[in-house]
Amino acid sequence: MPLWRTSLPAFGLVLCLSGCATIRSYDKELHTTLDFTTSGYVDGAIRTLESNNSLSDKDLLFYLELGMLQRLGNRYLESQKSWMRANSRIQIPEQSALPKVLNLLRGASSYVINDKLRSYEAHDYEKVMLLNYFALNYLAIGDYESARVAIKQTHELEAVIREARAKAVAEVEAEAKKRGAPVNLKELDGYPVEIIDNPAVNALKNSYQSALSHYLAGFIYESLGETSLAAPGYRLANELQPNTPLLESALSGLNQRAAAPGDGLTDVLFVLASGSAPALKSRQFRLPIRVQGRLMLPSVSFPVMAVTSKPTPLRLTVGDGVSLSVAPITSVDLMARRQLKDNLPGLILRATIRSTTMAVAQYQLQHGGDGQNAAVKQTAAIALMAGSALIESADERIWRTLPAEIFIARTRLPAGAHLVTLQTPEGVRRAQVKVSGRYAVVEFRLLGQQLFVQSPSK
């Protein structure tokens, strides 16, 4: 069918989509939700999240955000239910990602489609962090066996992601070369490459493995008496976050701790999380493409990671002045930047196909026919250009209620209540926590002026 005949229904689709919730600004929506959260008004944050997701069929990202908000309110069972719904919507990485890239760009709607119309599938690091938080929820309610299952699934998922991503990267690069699509970020005129391509980001082994995940594995296996499984967890945590004495001591002292008789003290792991995952913002850049032998520079939207302040190490004191060493263990902020860097070649490929298809359609409409037929085509060309501009924006969806930075501290304490003091960039924060048993995990989450405490409930 001639392109001009498909352009008019495509323009009608554009008008529908431009007012659709699918083309919403996720960054703006979550800004209000996070404002409520940083004020300690978790119920208000949940209501805002729900009002922005009024459809009966909630998507994956809604349940990711909801589960974290419920966790901050110490509603662990509700949080687990939300995250189970999220997990049921997560697609295991396919052997090939390329069919998705191409199938999205077939038919009349391909002239106007953008990445916001894709079902949210979760970034690789989000899938892994979800399972980590499953484990942390189980630890909060004292269910170490279920925490073991969740953390084991985390590392199985890492293996699947590693294999799938290696194949997907190779396929996207080959397709980009065949189509003459740019793959170098510097070819996007003005794109702030330094935000996602810098020594801190490039030091990460990949976007989805974290020292926290493997340290948690070591701690959980150790607590269950499985030292042979605990050692690899601690060892990999050291590889992912090298030169960290606190992590090194967990591995070097494992056998000694396992052989020591019970002395009534609780081995307490403090997890200190601060901030929220960085926002994605849509910005337009010039993308070089060739149409009918001519070089064109259409304006195309790509996601840009928001600039955030550098993490400030927290100081933790228990009781009357026992200061604990606090070590950074995982930066979700850096993982998100690495994910965006790894994803951009695929984003550029889709944008190139989309822009080329649109440019060819416009060229044929503007240069074909005569008389009344030419007038219809000219009108359709103008409509197509105007309509595509209405929805040209990048996908800003990302799991924002995840923390930006995560630290740990570890000590042995007598069972019972303890006053914990945190020195934070926002000032001193204090919390009363209660520990019991041989092992316990206590999490603090600092969001703005608010300190949330997740301590063992039994």
Side-chain angles (χ1 to χ4, degrees), residues 24-75:
R24 67 196 193 187
S25 170
Y26 194 76
D27 176 47
K28 292 180 180 178
E29 287 183 12
L30 262 291
H31 186 79
T32 303
T33 301
L34 288 171
D35 278 349
F36 277 121
T37 310
T38 56
S39 300
Y41 189 23
V42 174
D43 288 342
I46 291 175
R47 281 197 291 270
T48 300
L49 179 70
E50 290 173 338
S51 68
N52 288 327
N53 295 268
S54 56
L55 297 178
S56 57
D57 185 19
K58 312 294 186 188
D59 67 2
L60 162 63
L61 193 51
F62 168 80
Y63 288 112
L64 290 177
E65 307 284 18
L66 178 61
M68 184 63 77
L69 293 174
Q70 291 167 331
R71 172 178 168 77
L72 293 177
N74 297 314
R75 292 149 57 177

Tab-separated table of all heavy atoms in Angstrom, residues 24-75:
chain	number	residue	atom	x	y	z
A	24	ARG	N	2.616	9.628	29.047
A	24	ARG	CA	2.743	10.467	30.231
A	24	ARG	C	4.212	10.666	30.595
A	24	ARG	O	5.099	9.958	30.107
A	24	ARG	CB	2.034	9.791	31.400
A	24	ARG	CG	2.704	8.503	31.851
A	24	ARG	CD	1.807	7.667	32.726
A	24	ARG	NE	2.551	6.601	33.410
A	24	ARG	CZ	1.990	5.652	34.120
A	24	ARG	NH1	0.679	5.621	34.262
A	24	ARG	NH2	2.712	4.726	34.715
A	25	SER	N	4.460	11.612	31.495
A	25	SER	CA	5.809	11.840	32.010
A	25	SER	C	5.945	11.119	33.339
A	25	SER	O	5.413	11.564	34.362
A	25	SER	CB	6.083	13.336	32.195
A	25	SER	OG	7.295	13.521	32.890
A	26	TYR	N	6.666	10.021	33.327
A	26	TYR	CA	6.824	9.237	34.551
A	26	TYR	C	7.646	10.009	35.576
A	26	TYR	O	7.396	9.918	36.782
A	26	TYR	CB	7.490	7.899	34.233
A	26	TYR	CG	7.378	6.917	35.374
A	26	TYR	CD1	6.178	6.267	35.631
A	26	TYR	CD2	8.464	6.658	36.207
A	26	TYR	CE1	6.047	5.387	36.689
A	26	TYR	CE2	8.348	5.767	37.264
A	26	TYR	CZ	7.139	5.142	37.499
A	26	TYR	OH	7.016	4.273	38.557
A	27	ASP	N	8.609	10.773	35.112
A	27	ASP	CA	9.448	11.559	36.021
A	27	ASP	C	8.604	12.520	36.850
A	27	ASP	O	8.783	12.638	38.070
A	27	ASP	CB	10.504	12.328	35.217
A	27	ASP	CG	11.348	13.236	36.095
A	27	ASP	OD1	11.818	12.779	37.147
A	27	ASP	OD2	11.523	14.413	35.728
A	28	LYS	N	7.669	13.200	36.214
A	28	LYS	CA	6.816	14.152	36.937
A	28	LYS	C	5.908	13.434	37.937
A	28	LYS	O	5.672	13.914	39.038
A	28	LYS	CB	5.983	14.969	35.947
A	28	LYS	CG	6.809	15.932	35.103
A	28	LYS	CD	5.925	16.708	34.137
A	28	LYS	CE	6.764	17.677	33.294
A	28	LYS	NZ	5.937	18.409	32.303
A	29	GLU	N	5.371	12.287	37.535
A	29	GLU	CA	4.494	11.533	38.423
A	29	GLU	C	5.219	11.107	39.697
A	29	GLU	O	4.717	11.260	40.808
A	29	GLU	CB	3.964	10.291	37.708
A	29	GLU	CG	2.925	10.576	36.650
A	29	GLU	CD	2.388	9.303	36.032
A	29	GLU	OE1	2.669	8.217	36.590
A	29	GLU	OE2	1.697	9.379	35.003
A	30	LEU	N	6.411	10.549	39.535
A	30	LEU	CA	7.134	10.026	40.695
A	30	LEU	C	7.699	11.136	41.566
A	30	LEU	O	7.976	10.910	42.747
A	30	LEU	CB	8.243	9.082	40.235
A	30	LEU	CG	7.891	7.598	40.294
A	30	LEU	CD1	7.764	7.141	41.753
A	30	LEU	CD2	6.597	7.291	39.558
A	31	HIS	N	7.869	12.321	41.008
A	31	HIS	CA	8.362	13.436	41.815
A	31	HIS	C	7.413	13.699	42.984
A	31	HIS	O	7.849	13.870	44.128
A	31	HIS	CB	8.500	14.694	40.941
A	31	HIS	CG	9.124	15.849	41.656
A	31	HIS	ND1	10.490	15.944	41.850
A	31	HIS	CD2	8.582	16.940	42.246
A	31	HIS	CE1	10.758	17.050	42.526
A	31	HIS	NE2	9.617	17.674	42.774
A	32	THR	N	6.115	13.715	42.710
A	32	THR	CA	5.119	13.945	43.771
A	32	THR	C	5.092	12.776	44.748
A	32	THR	O	5.021	12.973	45.973
A	32	THR	CB	3.721	14.132	43.154
A	32	THR	OG1	3.764	15.205	42.217
A	32	THR	CG2	2.695	14.452	44.229
A	33	THR	N	5.142	11.568	44.242
A	33	THR	CA	5.155	10.385	45.110
A	33	THR	C	6.339	10.419	46.065
A	33	THR	O	6.205	10.162	47.263
A	33	THR	CB	5.203	9.102	44.260
A	33	THR	OG1	4.059	9.056	43.401
A	33	THR	CG2	5.224	7.856	45.134
A	34	LEU	N	7.510	10.757	45.549
A	34	LEU	CA	8.708	10.808	46.385
A	34	LEU	C	8.654	11.962	47.376
A	34	LEU	O	9.195	11.857	48.487
A	34	LEU	CB	9.961	10.910	45.501
A	34	LEU	CG	10.325	9.630	44.735
A	34	LEU	CD1	11.433	9.908	43.732
A	34	LEU	CD2	10.760	8.530	45.697
A	35	ASP	N	8.014	13.054	46.999
A	35	ASP	CA	7.860	14.173	47.933
A	35	ASP	C	7.087	13.743	49.174
A	35	ASP	O	7.457	14.074	50.306
A	35	ASP	CB	7.141	15.351	47.255
A	35	ASP	CG	8.088	16.208	46.431
A	35	ASP	OD1	9.312	16.016	46.565
A	35	ASP	OD2	7.611	17.053	45.660
A	36	PHE	N	5.990	13.003	48.972
A	36	PHE	CA	5.228	12.486	50.106
A	36	PHE	C	6.089	11.545	50.954
A	36	PHE	O	6.059	11.584	52.183
A	36	PHE	CB	3.975	11.742	49.626
A	36	PHE	CG	2.810	12.636	49.320
A	36	PHE	CD1	2.244	12.664	48.050
A	36	PHE	CD2	2.256	13.445	50.300
A	36	PHE	CE1	1.157	13.485	47.763
A	36	PHE	CE2	1.169	14.265	50.033
A	36	PHE	CZ	0.619	14.293	48.758
A	37	THR	N	6.866	10.709	50.278
A	37	THR	CA	7.681	9.723	50.991
A	37	THR	C	8.755	10.395	51.836
A	37	THR	O	8.973	10.023	52.997
A	37	THR	CB	8.336	8.750	49.991
A	37	THR	OG1	7.353	8.243	49.086
A	37	THR	CG2	8.962	7.566	50.725
A	38	THR	N	9.436	11.381	51.274
A	38	THR	CA	10.493	12.059	52.017
A	38	THR	C	9.940	12.860	53.191
A	38	THR	O	10.695	13.237	54.084
A	38	THR	CB	11.296	12.995	51.099
A	38	THR	OG1	10.417	13.920	50.458
A	38	THR	CG2	12.038	12.207	50.037
A	39	SER	N	8.637	13.115	53.190
A	39	SER	CA	7.988	13.783	54.324
A	39	SER	C	7.476	12.781	55.347
A	39	SER	O	6.885	13.161	56.358
A	39	SER	CB	6.823	14.651	53.831
A	39	SER	OG	7.272	15.640	52.923
A	40	GLY	N	7.676	11.489	55.071
A	40	GLY	CA	7.217	10.449	55.989
A	40	GLY	C	5.767	10.064	55.816
A	40	GLY	O	5.221	9.296	56.611
A	41	TYR	N	5.113	10.592	54.772
A	41	TYR	CA	3.694	10.338	54.543
A	41	TYR	C	3.551	9.232	53.499
A	41	TYR	O	3.206	9.463	52.346
A	41	TYR	CB	3.021	11.628	54.082
A	41	TYR	CG	1.514	11.587	54.003
A	41	TYR	CD1	0.759	10.672	54.741
A	41	TYR	CD2	0.827	12.474	53.177
A	41	TYR	CE1	-0.618	10.644	54.666
A	41	TYR	CE2	-0.555	12.466	53.082
A	41	TYR	CZ	-1.268	11.545	53.830
A	41	TYR	OH	-2.645	11.519	53.744
A	42	VAL	N	3.828	7.998	53.927
A	42	VAL	CA	3.840	6.867	53.003
A	42	VAL	C	2.457	6.595	52.435
A	42	VAL	O	2.315	6.287	51.241
A	42	VAL	CB	4.401	5.614	53.708
A	42	VAL	CG1	4.288	4.392	52.801
A	42	VAL	CG2	5.859	5.828	54.100
A	43	ASP	N	1.412	6.704	53.262
A	43	ASP	CA	0.052	6.454	52.766
A	43	ASP	C	-0.310	7.441	51.656
A	43	ASP	O	-0.956	7.075	50.668
A	43	ASP	CB	-0.958	6.559	53.905
A	43	ASP	CG	-0.874	5.377	54.867
A	43	ASP	OD1	-0.296	4.343	54.469
A	43	ASP	OD2	-1.358	5.492	56.000
A	44	GLY	N	0.104	8.705	51.811
A	44	GLY	CA	-0.144	9.698	50.764
A	44	GLY	C	0.610	9.366	49.496
A	44	GLY	O	0.099	9.557	48.386
A	45	ALA	N	1.828	8.849	49.645
A	45	ALA	CA	2.618	8.443	48.478
A	45	ALA	C	1.940	7.300	47.737
A	45	ALA	O	1.887	7.282	46.498
A	45	ALA	CB	4.018	8.037	48.920
A	46	ILE	N	1.402	6.340	48.487
A	46	ILE	CA	0.715	5.201	47.865
A	46	ILE	C	-0.544	5.661	47.138
A	46	ILE	O	-0.826	5.223	46.015
A	46	ILE	CB	0.387	4.132	48.924
A	46	ILE	CG1	1.676	3.472	49.431
A	46	ILE	CG2	-0.564	3.077	48.363
A	46	ILE	CD1	1.483	2.487	50.552
A	47	ARG	N	-1.308	6.566	47.764
A	47	ARG	CA	-2.528	7.061	47.100
A	47	ARG	C	-2.186	7.814	45.819
A	47	ARG	O	-2.901	7.705	44.810
A	47	ARG	CB	-3.311	7.949	48.057
A	47	ARG	CG	-4.121	7.175	49.085
A	47	ARG	CD	-5.189	8.025	49.738
A	47	ARG	NE	-4.604	9.045	50.601
A	47	ARG	CZ	-4.346	8.867	51.886
A	47	ARG	NH1	-4.581	7.697	52.464
A	47	ARG	NH2	-3.841	9.853	52.605
A	48	THR	N	-1.104	8.589	45.845
A	48	THR	CA	-0.687	9.310	44.640
A	48	THR	C	-0.279	8.335	43.545
A	48	THR	O	-0.647	8.504	42.370
A	48	THR	CB	0.489	10.248	44.963
A	48	THR	OG1	0.089	11.186	45.958
A	48	THR	CG2	0.949	11.003	43.719
A	49	LEU	N	0.470	7.308	43.931
A	49	LEU	CA	0.880	6.283	42.963
A	49	LEU	C	-0.342	5.613	42.349
A	49	LEU	O	-0.411	5.412	41.123
A	49	LEU	CB	1.772	5.252	43.649
A	49	LEU	CG	2.280	4.105	42.792
A	49	LEU	CD1	3.308	4.609	41.780
A	49	LEU	CD2	2.896	3.005	43.659
A	50	GLU	N	-1.318	5.281	43.173
A	50	GLU	CA	-2.523	4.608	42.681
A	50	GLU	C	-3.348	5.521	41.776
A	50	GLU	O	-3.917	5.069	40.776
A	50	GLU	CB	-3.358	4.123	43.859
A	50	GLU	CG	-2.713	2.955	44.609
A	50	GLU	CD	-3.447	2.572	45.884
A	50	GLU	OE1	-4.184	3.441	46.427
A	50	GLU	OE2	-3.293	1.434	46.334
A	51	SER	N	-3.425	6.809	42.111
A	51	SER	CA	-4.205	7.741	41.285
A	51	SER	C	-3.569	7.940	39.918
A	51	SER	O	-4.265	8.234	38.935
A	51	SER	CB	-4.347	9.090	41.992
A	51	SER	OG	-3.102	9.752	42.076
A	52	ASN	N	-2.252	7.785	39.837
A	52	ASN	CA	-1.557	7.907	38.553
A	52	ASN	C	-1.591	6.619	37.758
A	52	ASN	O	-1.109	6.577	36.616
A	52	ASN	CB	-0.105	8.327	38.774
A	52	ASN	CG	0.026	9.767	39.219
A	52	ASN	OD1	-0.762	10.625	38.839
A	52	ASN	ND2	1.032	10.055	40.049
A	53	ASN	N	-2.128	5.563	38.354
A	53	ASN	CA	-2.230	4.263	37.680
A	53	ASN	C	-3.645	3.731	37.886
A	53	ASN	O	-3.851	2.734	38.578
A	53	ASN	CB	-1.191	3.286	38.243
A	53	ASN	CG	0.231	3.691	37.974
A	53	ASN	OD1	0.830	3.288	36.978
A	53	ASN	ND2	0.803	4.503	38.851
A	54	SER	N	-4.594	4.409	37.287
A	54	SER	CA	-6.003	4.133	37.554
A	54	SER	C	-6.563	2.939	36.784
A	54	SER	O	-7.636	2.446	37.107
A	54	SER	CB	-6.845	5.377	37.230
A	54	SER	OG	-6.630	5.788	35.890
A	55	LEU	N	-5.860	2.468	35.755
A	55	LEU	CA	-6.361	1.329	34.993
A	55	LEU	C	-6.388	0.077	35.865
A	55	LEU	O	-5.556	-0.097	36.761
A	55	LEU	CB	-5.496	1.088	33.757
A	55	LEU	CG	-5.468	2.223	32.721
A	55	LEU	CD1	-4.532	1.865	31.572
A	55	LEU	CD2	-6.870	2.498	32.198
A	56	SER	N	-7.337	-0.796	35.610
A	56	SER	CA	-7.473	-2.007	36.429
A	56	SER	C	-6.287	-2.955	36.239
A	56	SER	O	-5.878	-3.650	37.167
A	56	SER	CB	-8.775	-2.734	36.082
A	56	SER	OG	-8.822	-3.052	34.695
A	57	ASP	N	-5.734	-2.974	35.032
A	57	ASP	CA	-4.600	-3.847	34.744
A	57	ASP	C	-3.308	-3.077	35.007
A	57	ASP	O	-2.789	-2.381	34.138
A	57	ASP	CB	-4.656	-4.326	33.293
A	57	ASP	CG	-3.568	-5.335	32.973
A	57	ASP	OD1	-3.027	-5.920	33.926
A	57	ASP	OD2	-3.249	-5.525	31.783
A	58	LYS	N	-2.783	-3.171	36.227
A	58	LYS	CA	-1.576	-2.437	36.605
A	58	LYS	C	-0.352	-3.062	35.939
A	58	LYS	O	-0.278	-4.271	35.730
A	58	LYS	CB	-1.370	-2.455	38.119
A	58	LYS	CG	-2.603	-2.115	38.939
A	58	LYS	CD	-3.057	-0.688	38.735
A	58	LYS	CE	-4.188	-0.347	39.685
A	58	LYS	NZ	-4.799	0.966	39.406
A	59	ASP	N	0.633	-2.217	35.657
A	59	ASP	CA	1.822	-2.745	35.005
A	59	ASP	C	2.890	-3.111	36.028
A	59	ASP	O	2.750	-2.900	37.238
A	59	ASP	CB	2.373	-1.766	33.964
A	59	ASP	CG	2.927	-0.486	34.591
A	59	ASP	OD1	2.918	-0.360	35.829
A	59	ASP	OD2	3.364	0.395	33.834
A	60	LEU	N	3.968	-3.679	35.526
A	60	LEU	CA	5.072	-4.147	36.361
A	60	LEU	C	5.630	-3.037	37.236
A	60	LEU	O	5.861	-3.225	38.444
A	60	LEU	CB	6.159	-4.719	35.441
A	60	LEU	CG	7.560	-4.880	36.012
A	60	LEU	CD1	7.564	-5.873	37.148
A	60	LEU	CD2	8.521	-5.323	34.911
A	61	LEU	N	5.863	-1.875	36.660
A	61	LEU	CA	6.507	-0.787	37.390
A	61	LEU	C	5.656	-0.302	38.563
A	61	LEU	O	6.183	0.051	39.620
A	61	LEU	CB	6.815	0.372	36.441
A	61	LEU	CG	7.753	1.461	36.959
A	61	LEU	CD1	9.036	0.869	37.515
A	61	LEU	CD2	8.062	2.454	35.854
A	62	PHE	N	4.347	-0.304	38.406
A	62	PHE	CA	3.458	0.085	39.501
A	62	PHE	C	3.702	-0.809	40.718
A	62	PHE	O	3.821	-0.326	41.850
A	62	PHE	CB	1.999	-0.015	39.058
A	62	PHE	CG	1.013	0.081	40.196
A	62	PHE	CD1	0.666	1.308	40.731
A	62	PHE	CD2	0.443	-1.065	40.752
A	62	PHE	CE1	-0.237	1.408	41.797
A	62	PHE	CE2	-0.458	-0.983	41.809
A	62	PHE	CZ	-0.796	0.262	42.333
A	63	TYR	N	3.785	-2.117	40.491
A	63	TYR	CA	3.960	-3.042	41.612
A	63	TYR	C	5.364	-2.958	42.209
A	63	TYR	O	5.546	-3.195	43.409
A	63	TYR	CB	3.632	-4.467	41.177
A	63	TYR	CG	2.149	-4.675	40.955
A	63	TYR	CD1	1.635	-4.902	39.685
A	63	TYR	CD2	1.266	-4.613	42.025
A	63	TYR	CE1	0.267	-5.075	39.486
A	63	TYR	CE2	-0.100	-4.788	41.839
A	63	TYR	CZ	-0.593	-5.015	40.561
A	63	TYR	OH	-1.945	-5.173	40.375
A	64	LEU	N	6.362	-2.619	41.400
A	64	LEU	CA	7.700	-2.407	41.946
A	64	LEU	C	7.695	-1.233	42.921
A	64	LEU	O	8.213	-1.331	44.043
A	64	LEU	CB	8.703	-2.142	40.818
A	64	LEU	CG	9.049	-3.312	39.893
A	64	LEU	CD1	10.002	-2.840	38.796
A	64	LEU	CD2	9.670	-4.469	40.665
A	65	GLU	N	7.104	-0.107	42.492
A	65	GLU	CA	7.056	1.083	43.348
A	65	GLU	C	6.183	0.843	44.575
A	65	GLU	O	6.560	1.205	45.700
A	65	GLU	CB	6.512	2.281	42.553
A	65	GLU	CG	7.204	2.583	41.232
A	65	GLU	CD	8.557	3.258	41.373
A	65	GLU	OE1	9.138	3.212	42.480
A	65	GLU	OE2	9.043	3.813	40.372
A	66	LEU	N	5.028	0.220	44.366
A	66	LEU	CA	4.106	-0.014	45.474
A	66	LEU	C	4.750	-0.898	46.547
A	66	LEU	O	4.642	-0.621	47.751
A	66	LEU	CB	2.821	-0.672	44.963
A	66	LEU	CG	1.767	-1.026	46.022
A	66	LEU	CD1	1.281	0.227	46.743
A	66	LEU	CD2	0.596	-1.773	45.380
A	67	GLY	N	5.428	-1.959	46.123
A	67	GLY	CA	6.061	-2.853	47.077
A	67	GLY	C	7.098	-2.157	47.940
A	67	GLY	O	7.195	-2.420	49.146
A	68	MET	N	7.862	-1.237	47.342
A	68	MET	CA	8.864	-0.517	48.118
A	68	MET	C	8.206	0.443	49.108
A	68	MET	O	8.654	0.562	50.263
A	68	MET	CB	9.812	0.246	47.194
A	68	MET	CG	10.958	0.939	47.935
A	68	MET	SD	12.052	-0.231	48.793
A	68	MET	CE	13.021	-0.852	47.402
A	69	LEU	N	7.157	1.129	48.691
A	69	LEU	CA	6.458	2.036	49.601
A	69	LEU	C	5.847	1.264	50.773
A	69	LEU	O	5.897	1.715	51.924
A	69	LEU	CB	5.375	2.808	48.847
A	69	LEU	CG	5.876	3.802	47.785
A	69	LEU	CD1	4.699	4.390	47.006
A	69	LEU	CD2	6.699	4.920	48.418
A	70	GLN	N	5.268	0.112	50.488
A	70	GLN	CA	4.706	-0.713	51.568
A	70	GLN	C	5.801	-1.201	52.502
A	70	GLN	O	5.616	-1.248	53.725
A	70	GLN	CB	3.937	-1.891	50.964
A	70	GLN	CG	2.658	-1.475	50.259
A	70	GLN	CD	2.071	-2.578	49.400
A	70	GLN	OE1	2.802	-3.429	48.885
A	70	GLN	NE2	0.761	-2.577	49.229
A	71	ARG	N	6.946	-1.520	51.969
A	71	ARG	CA	8.079	-1.935	52.807
A	71	ARG	C	8.509	-0.801	53.722
A	71	ARG	O	8.790	-1.024	54.909
A	71	ARG	CB	9.241	-2.378	51.923
A	71	ARG	CG	10.535	-2.634	52.694
A	71	ARG	CD	11.651	-3.129	51.779
A	71	ARG	NE	12.931	-3.105	52.473
A	71	ARG	CZ	13.315	-3.994	53.367
A	71	ARG	NH1	12.512	-4.986	53.698
A	71	ARG	NH2	14.499	-3.910	53.941
A	72	LEU	N	8.569	0.424	53.189
A	72	LEU	CA	8.954	1.567	54.013
A	72	LEU	C	7.969	1.782	55.161
A	72	LEU	O	8.333	2.317	56.208
A	72	LEU	CB	9.053	2.837	53.156
A	72	LEU	CG	10.183	2.852	52.119
A	72	LEU	CD1	10.123	4.138	51.286
A	72	LEU	CD2	11.546	2.713	52.775
A	73	GLY	N	6.726	1.357	54.951
A	73	GLY	CA	5.718	1.439	56.004
A	73	GLY	C	5.680	0.201	56.878
A	73	GLY	O	4.737	0.029	57.652
A	74	ASN	N	6.704	-0.661	56.749
A	74	ASN	CA	6.811	-1.899	57.548
A	74	ASN	C	5.659	-2.865	57.296
A	74	ASN	O	5.333	-3.699	58.154
A	74	ASN	CB	6.908	-1.583	59.042
A	74	ASN	CG	8.166	-0.793	59.378
A	74	ASN	OD1	9.251	-1.129	58.922
A	74	ASN	ND2	8.018	0.265	60.159
A	75	ARG	N	5.058	-2.779	56.123
A	75	ARG	CA	3.976	-3.686	55.750
A	75	ARG	C	4.568	-4.781	54.851
A	75	ARG	O	4.344	-4.830	53.648
A	75	ARG	CB	2.867	-2.899	55.045
A	75	ARG	CG	2.159	-1.938	55.992
A	75	ARG	CD	1.632	-0.678	55.337
A	75	ARG	NE	0.719	-0.903	54.233
A	75	ARG	CZ	0.105	0.071	53.567
A	75	ARG	NH1	0.284	1.334	53.943
A	75	ARG	NH2	-0.700	-0.208	52.567
